[in-house]
Amino acid sequence: AHRDALKHHIRFFFQPCEEIPPGGALPLIEAGCLEDVARVFGLHVFPQWTVGQVGVTPGPVMAGADVFEVEIKGVGGHAAYPHLAKDPIQMGVAVVQAFQGIVARRVDPMDTVVLSVTQFQAGSACNVIPQTIKLGGTVRTHSRPWAARWLSTRGVGSQRSSGWRYWSSIQMRFFSASRSRRRRTASSIQRGLA
């Protein structure tokens, strides 16, 4: 209705699946959506605000989201004989608790970091200790180097030094939704069962 009032061309593009690789900005950029574009204004919904309310601020507003997966392998067994198993659920619970301590005790309070474990998948029967569990979640930060560093050193490193002698392997995979479409293995630790 006000096209005549515009002094410049305006291009709208909508970023699909910005938090799940390979979605996000990279496929749009590769498709050429930023060619001949002088400025970009990013918008994001914010359900905590009143409908119709708009907020504007210079600099970054939303953190980058990186996805991680953890696979822990133990030795399954019958629930009546837990002493004969290497329980990966117990290990997984300890990993989740350790992750929460990373942000609370190992991150500068001036940094913006949110680490959320959102998946804990284990077992299919109430009387069987599973052999493998999988954890997943996201790390959100404005500091890109920190996001890569926490997985390679603090995440698995703290678990390795905690004296676990009964797990067979912990594997962590790091997916950067905002930087790369490829899966990168941040750490893979293999250890023979005691």
Side-chain angles (χ1 to χ4, degrees):
H2 300 284
R3 185 182 295 267
D4 296 339
L6 296 176
K7 296 181 181 179
H8 303 281
H9 294 290
I10 295 178
R11 179 183 301 168
F12 291 93
F13 51 93
F14 300 87
Q15 181 175 320
C17 302
E18 74 277 10
E19 294 186 13
I20 304 173
L26 188 59
L28 291 175
I29 294 169
E30 289 175 346
C33 73
L34 292 182
E35 293 177 6
D36 300 321
V37 172
R39 292 189 180 126
V40 175
F41 298 90
L43 301 174
H44 199 288
V45 296
F46 201 73
Q48 290 83 357
W49 286 0
T50 304
V51 174
Q53 184 178 6
V54 176
V56 179
T57 185
V61 177
M62 310 298 284
D66 295 299
V67 179
F68 65 86
E69 292 179 354
V70 180
E71 182 178 272
I72 300 175
K73 293 182 181 179
V75 174
H78 197 283
Y81 307 104
H83 58 292
L84 300 178
K86 313 287 186 184
D87 189 352
I89 293 178
Q90 181 181 3
M91 303 176 224
V93 169
V95 168
V96 172
Q97 291 176 331
F99 280 177
Q100 302 311 311
I102 290 172
V103 174
R105 291 292 178 259
R106 299 193 181 196
V107 176
D108 185 329
M110 301 306 291
D111 286 343
T112 304
V113 178
V114 177
L115 193 162
S116 296
V117 177
T118 58
Q119 297 175 314
F120 195 125
Q121 301 170 352
S124 59
C126 64
N127 63 339
V128 177
I129 296 170
Q131 179 171 328
T132 302
I133 70 162
K134 293 184 179 180
L135 308 173
T138 60
V139 178
R140 297 166 191 275
T141 178
H142 292 291
S143 173
R144 307 305 307 158
W146 189 92
R149 193 172 67 240
W150 86 268
L151 278 175
S152 62
T153 59
R154 291 183 169 84
V156 171
S158 63
Q159 300 311 315
R160 193 174 190 183
S161 64
S162 66
W164 290 350
R165 295 192 181 98
Y166 52 86
W167 47 268
S168 57
S169 71
I170 295 181
Q171 292 187 340
M172 299 185 71
R173 287 176 290 281
F174 178 72
F175 308 86
S176 179
S178 52
R179 293 179 57 188
S180 173
R181 290 167 44 167
R182 296 187 303 273
R183 296 188 174 198
R184 291 176 292 150
T185 300
S187 182
S188 178
I189 299 175
Q190 300 289 332
R191 176 187 265 180
L193 291 173

